[in-house]
Structure formats: structure tokens, C-alpha cells
């Protein structure tokens, strides 16, 4: 019962004999535990390592067995400390194993060759798409054949919201069947009110994402959403992808009245840009104060001008004032 402390049955027998007969010689202990003298010597050495057999204070050449309450309690504490250390090392090893496994997985599943990047698995694809979205500058076109159901994220947590807030032009083609889901329909309506263009069509061939008209992301297997994705940067492939998008966009129908955008709430960036412009700030100052690029600042201003049908900054200010935005 003391095996967890490193004290097996044979070792305990010798320990018990020493406690019961403290002045016994190894030969006498061997007779008491019915073991050979060499075996007893080995077991005595084990007891020394366990600190259950220590030199006597009054005679360093003599030894005595430590009282069980002291010796076994101390041994238990040392074992507990050792196990805690080993558990910590195990957790670190598990974390390192996860890192190595992830790196190996990416090595196997994310091969890059010039203008083509292959991402196997939904997790790898999603991570990479999020990275690319952060780098997008101007436009984001997408075909979404999957049915948006009641699991859609709240708009404020949606990647679409982030893109719109940064001033990107967003065009999305959904399946008409999405209107069967109330929450999905509300999601699309919110994206529309925030300035995104939303259309619907009866069928779509596959999921397609196009960033800045420079790269196209397609599923590795259209029939298997979890298979992964392929990123194309080759101009010819991107051109074909854009032609495919344009074909479905042109024959898709508007889901909402374009005029409804006039009453859409401003994004935080839009509101701040209007406030700064009303105060006479130039594009460079707006970009610096908001911590955004000059290109983004100008894009937001252009989008607001288009939204309010303003031909100049003066007209933009007047139109914004009429709506109580500044």
C-alpha cells in the first residue's frame, strides 16, 4: 500500500524489521524477512535513498530507521512535489506537442506555390481568410450558397461589419431561400443598411470570395464545406472568378430598396470622419487622428458623398447636417 511512495513490499519488510529490531545486523534482518543477505543490502541502500534509513546523530557510523510518522510523511511530501513538477512538465509537453502538431499539420495541408495557396480543413481556411480580410483595401465580393440560419453572428461581431466600418465596398449574393430564416434576413438587412449591396438568386454554384479584385478564394471541394479552400492570385484565374461573380450578380435581384440606406446609422468611423470634416480637417489629418490610412480616410469620405449624393465637401456637410449627423 506504500508503492506510490516508492516503498514496495520487500523494502517495507526490511524497514519494518529495522523499526522492530533496531540493532539488527544485515544478516539478522535477512533471517527476519526470509531474504538473502545481498538482497537485504540492496534494500537497505534503497531505504537510504528514500531517507528512511539515516545515520544516527550520536554515532555517524551507525544507522537507524526513521520514525514512520516523520519518514513516510516527508517521503509523501517529496513525492507530491515531484508529481506536481512532473505534471507541470507534462502540461508543457502537451502544449509543445500541440504546437508541433499544428506546425506539421500546416506543413502538410497549407502548401504555397507562387500564386496558389492550398488550405486544407475549415479551421486553416477560416484563419487565413480572416488574415486576408484584415489586409483588404477596397472591395469584397462574395457568393454565399450556404443557407444563413439562426446561428449567424451578431452584426457587430461579423467580419462584414468590420469591412464596412473600414470603408470597403461590399457586394454579396445570397440564395433566395435565406429569406426563410428571420435572423438571417435581419442580418442581411442590417448589412444593407450599413452600406453593403445585397442580392439574391435561386441557385449558386459554390462559395466564392474576391478581395480587391486581386485574389479569389474558392472551396477545395464545393460538395464538402469542411475540406478547405484554395486561394488564387493568378490574374487569369481571378478574372474568371470575377466573370463568374458578375454573371450571378447581374441576374440576381435586389433584396432591399436602395433608398433605405439613406436612413442607415453611421458607423463609428463615418461619424468621426464627418465630425472632423465639419471642423475643417483635411484628409491627412483625419487619417492621422483616426489611426487609419489616407486611402481609407478618402474612401470613407467618398462613400459618404455617394451615399448623400454630395458633389463637394460643402454639400456633404449640408446633407449631413440636414440628417442631424453633425
Amino acid at each position: 500500500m506504500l508503492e506510490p511512495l516508492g516503498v514496495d513490499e520487500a523494502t517495507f519488510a526490511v524497514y519494518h524489521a529495522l523499526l522492530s529490531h533496531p540493532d539488527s545486523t544485515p544478516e539478522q534482518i535477512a533471517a527476519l524477512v526470509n531474504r538473502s543477505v545481498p538482497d537485504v543490502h540492496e534494500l537497505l541502500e534503497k531505504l537510504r535513498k528514500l531517507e528512511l534509513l539515516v545515520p544516527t546523530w550520536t554515532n555517524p557510523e551507525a544507522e537507524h530507521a526513521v520514525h514512520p510518522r516523520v519518514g513516510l510523511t516527508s517521503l509523501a511530501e517529496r513525492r507530491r512535489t515531484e508529481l506536481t513538477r512532473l505534471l507541470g512538465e507534462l502540461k508543457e509537453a502537451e502544449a509543445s506537442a500541440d504546437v508541433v502538431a499544428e506546425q506539421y499539420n500546416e506543413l502538410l495541408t497549407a502548401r504555397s506555390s507562387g500564386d496558389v495557396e492550398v488550405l486544407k480543413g475549415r479551421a486553416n481556411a477560416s484563419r487565413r481568410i480572416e488574415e486576408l480580410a484584415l489586409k483588404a483595401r477596397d472591395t469584397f465580393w462574395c457568393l454565399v450558397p450556404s443557407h444563413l440560419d439562426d446561428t449567424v453572428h451578431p452584426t457587430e461581431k461579423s467580419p462584414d461589419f468590420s469591412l464596412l466600418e473600414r470603408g470597403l465596398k461590399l457586394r454579396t449574393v445570397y440564395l433566395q431561400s435565406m429569406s426563410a430564416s428571420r435572423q438571417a434576413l435581419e442580418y442581411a438587412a442590417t448589412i444593407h443598411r450599413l452600406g453593403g449591396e445585397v442580392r439574391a438568386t435561386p441557385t449558386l454554384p459554390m462559395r466564392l470570395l474576391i478581395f480587391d479584385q486581386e485574389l479569389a478564394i474558392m472551396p477545395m471541394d464545393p460538395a464538402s464545406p469542411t475540406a478547405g479552400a484554395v486561394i488564387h492570385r493568378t490574374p487569369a484565374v481571378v478574372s474568371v472568378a470575377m466573370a463568374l461573380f458578375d454573371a450571378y450578380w447581374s441576374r440576381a435581384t435586389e433584396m432591399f430598396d436602395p433608398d433605405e440606406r439613406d436612413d442607415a446609422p453611421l458607423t463609428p468611423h463615418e461619424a468621426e470622419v464627418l465630425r472632423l470634416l465639419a471642423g475643417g480637417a483635411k484628409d491627412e489629418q483625419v487619417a492621422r487622428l483616426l489611426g487609419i490610412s489616407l486611402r481609407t480616410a478618402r474612401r470613407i469620405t467618398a462613400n459618404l458623398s455617394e451615399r448623400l449624393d454630395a458633389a463637394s465637401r460643402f454639400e456633404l456637410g449640408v446633407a449631413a447636417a440636414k440628417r442631424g449627423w453633425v
Side-chain angles (χ1 to χ4, degrees):
M1 58 183 172
L2 297 178
E3 280 82 358
L5 301 181
V7 182
D8 56 26
E9 184 178 350
T11 305
F12 179 74
V14 173
Y15 178 55
H16 185 267
L18 287 170
L19 291 170
S20 305
H21 306 81
D23 297 325
S24 298
T25 64
E27 290 75 14
Q28 292 171 326
I29 295 295
L32 289 171
V33 300
N34 194 26
R35 293 203 173 253
S36 67
V37 174
D39 284 348
V40 168
H41 279 292
E42 289 183 7
L43 295 171
L44 289 172
E45 184 60 31
K46 186 173 181 180
L47 288 171
R48 293 185 186 101
K49 291 180 179 179
L50 293 174
E51 298 182 14
L52 294 178
L53 181 62
V54 298
T56 301
W57 287 359
T58 56
N59 183 6
E61 296 182 0
E63 295 176 309
H64 72 277
V66 179
H67 191 288
R69 186 178 301 280
V70 176
L72 295 179
T73 300
S74 177
L75 184 57
E77 184 59 34
R78 292 199 303 274
R79 286 291 290 164
R80 184 180 294 106
T81 301
E82 181 183 1
L83 290 173
T84 300
R85 178 183 61 80
L86 291 174
L87 182 59
E89 291 178 355
L90 177 60
K91 290 181 178 179
E92 291 181 1
E94 288 178 337
S96 298
D98 287 340
V99 171
V100 172
E102 183 66 20
Q103 291 174 342
Y104 183 63
N105 181 57
E106 292 180 358
L107 177 65
L108 292 177
T109 62
R111 299 180 178 85
S112 177
S113 58
D115 293 328
V116 179
E117 188 175 352
V118 179
L119 301 163
K120 290 186 178 179
R122 174 176 284 173
N124 284 339
S126 296
R127 260 197 316 269
R128 185 66 175 125
I129 291 171
E130 288 176 2
E131 293 174 4
L132 293 171
L134 292 174
K135 299 176 182 178
R137 305 182 307 277
D138 298 307
T139 60
F140 178 47
W141 307 152
C142 48
L143 302 180
V144 184
S146 57
H147 180 264
L148 286 178
D149 53 25
D150 290 339
T151 62
V152 295
H153 294 297
T155 306
E156 65 273 10
K157 297 181 180 179
S158 166
D160 294 336
F161 181 88
S162 175
L163 293 172
L164 289 167
E165 186 178 39
R166 285 163 46 201
L168 272 72
K169 292 184 177 180
L170 179 67
R171 284 184 175 179
T172 306
V173 182
Y174 294 114
L175 288 174
Q176 289 179 349
S177 59
M178 73 169 294
S179 60
S181 168
R182 178 186 59 80
Q183 187 168 349
L185 194 59
E186 289 178 355
Y187 174 87
T190 303
I191 294 301
H192 167 76
R193 288 195 301 272
L194 294 175
E197 297 181 69
V198 181
R199 294 186 180 183
T201 187
T203 61
L204 287 170
M206 64 179 181
R207 187 175 183 85
L208 173 64
L209 311 177
I210 304 175
F211 286 105
D212 296 329
Q213 303 179 30
E214 294 177 354
L215 63 86
I217 305 175
M218 307 174 189
M220 184 178 296
D221 180 2
S224 176
T226 61
V230 182
I231 300 174
H232 296 277
R233 293 181 177 81
T234 308
V237 176
V238 175
S239 295
V240 171
M242 289 184 60
L244 177 65
F245 176 84
D246 289 340
Y248 278 89
W249 178 261
S250 62
R251 69 189 191 193
T253 57
E254 292 277 0
M255 292 185 64
F256 309 99
D257 185 351
D259 293 335
E260 292 176 359
R261 287 199 191 93
D262 289 346
D263 298 324
L266 294 174
T267 67
H269 270 159
E270 288 176 330
E272 193 62 16
V273 166
L274 277 178
R275 187 186 69 79
L276 292 171
L277 291 177
K282 303 298 183 183
D283 289 336
E284 292 78 4
Q285 293 173 297
V286 171
R288 178 173 54 81
L289 291 171
L290 294 184
I292 58 179
S293 68
L294 178 60
R295 186 188 189 109
T296 298
R298 287 174 173 168
R299 186 189 309 120
I300 293 175
T301 301
N303 289 344
L304 287 168
S305 297
E306 181 181 352
R307 181 173 169 184
L308 298 180
D309 194 24
S312 66
R313 293 199 175 195
F314 175 76
E315 290 184 9
L316 176 60
V318 171
K322 287 181 179 179
R323 288 166 174 78
W325 289 353
V326 292

